[in-house]
Amino acid sequence: MTEGNTVRVAEPYIQEPARKSQKRPRPVKQTSARPEVSREYRKNLRIGLPTVFMLFLALTAVIYIIYNYLYLTASIDTHKDNIVSLETRLEQLKNENDALEQSIDTSVDLNYVYDVAINELGMVHAGENNTIRYDKTESGYVRQYESITKN
C-alpha cells in the first residue's frame, strides 16, 4: 500500500557487478584541459591580414585624435593663462596712466599760464581782423615755397 506522494522502497537496490567485456575501451588522450576543437572552428577563429591592418589603422587614428585633443587642450589652457596675465598687466598700465594724467593735470595751473601769456608776454586773443584767409583757385593744393599774394 502507498501513502502520500512517494513510494517507499521495500528492498534496497543492490548494484550488480559490471560484466567484463571482451574488448577494453581505449582511454581518450587529452593533451589539455579543454575539449578538442575541430579544424574548421579554429580556421574560422583566425583573423585575416586585412582585418589586422584595419584594426591597426583604427587604433592609429584613435591615438592621433586623442593626442591632438590633449595638445589643443593644453594650448587653450596656456592661451587662457596668457590672456589673464595680459589683462592684469593692462589694468596695471591703465591705473598708472590715470595716476600720471592726474598728476599732470594737478601740476599745470592753466590760470597761471593764461596770466603769464597775457600780462608778461603781451599775447592777445585773435580777432576777425587778425585772421587772413587765402583762396588759390589755380590748383587744388598750396605749395609752401610759393609766395602768398595780398589782395
Side-chain angles (χ1 to χ4, degrees):
M1 177 181 252
T2 60
E3 296 176 14
N5 63 355
T6 60
V7 177
R8 293 187 181 132
V9 177
E11 297 176 11
Y13 176 73
I14 300 174
Q15 186 176 9
E16 295 179 17
R19 295 182 191 173
K20 291 185 177 180
S21 65
Q22 294 172 349
K23 288 186 180 179
R24 286 188 173 177
R26 291 187 333 200
V28 177
K29 292 182 183 178
Q30 288 189 348
T31 57
S32 64
R34 61 187 177 138
E36 177 107 8
V37 179
S38 70
R39 285 184 183 181
E40 291 179 21
Y41 183 74
R42 279 188 284 167
K43 186 177 180 181
N44 290 336
L45 286 179
R46 289 185 188 157
I47 298 175
L49 187 61
T51 306
V52 171
F53 184 70
M54 291 301 290
L55 287 173
F56 176 74
L57 286 179
L59 181 64
T60 305
V62 167
I63 290 172
Y64 178 75
I65 289 169
I66 290 172
Y67 174 78
N68 279 339
Y69 174 76
L70 293 175
Y71 177 78
L72 289 175
T73 304
S75 176
I76 288 170
D77 290 342
T78 304
H79 283 79
K80 283 182 181 179
D81 292 341
N82 287 341
I83 289 171
V84 168
S85 65
L86 289 174
E87 286 176 346
T88 305
R89 179 69 179 142
L90 177 65
E91 191 64 32
Q92 290 173 351
L93 290 174
K94 282 183 178 180
N95 290 338
E96 288 177 18
N97 191 25
D98 291 342
L100 288 173
E101 188 176 357
Q102 184 67 27
S103 71
I104 289 171
D105 289 343
T106 57
S107 69
V108 176
D109 185 15
L110 295 179
N111 291 330
Y112 174 74
V113 171
Y114 181 78
D115 186 45
V116 168
I118 297 290
N119 296 331
E120 293 181 18
L121 300 175
M123 298 177 113
V124 293
H125 285 284
E128 268 305 312
N129 56 358
N130 298 99
T131 305
I132 300 172
R133 299 201 183 266
Y134 179 74
D135 292 329
K136 183 174 180 181
T137 57
E138 294 173 9
S139 65
Y141 61 94
V142 176
R143 293 186 196 138
Q144 292 180 354
Y145 54 86
E146 192 175 324
S147 63
I148 298 174
T149 59
K150 293 184 180 183
N151 289 343

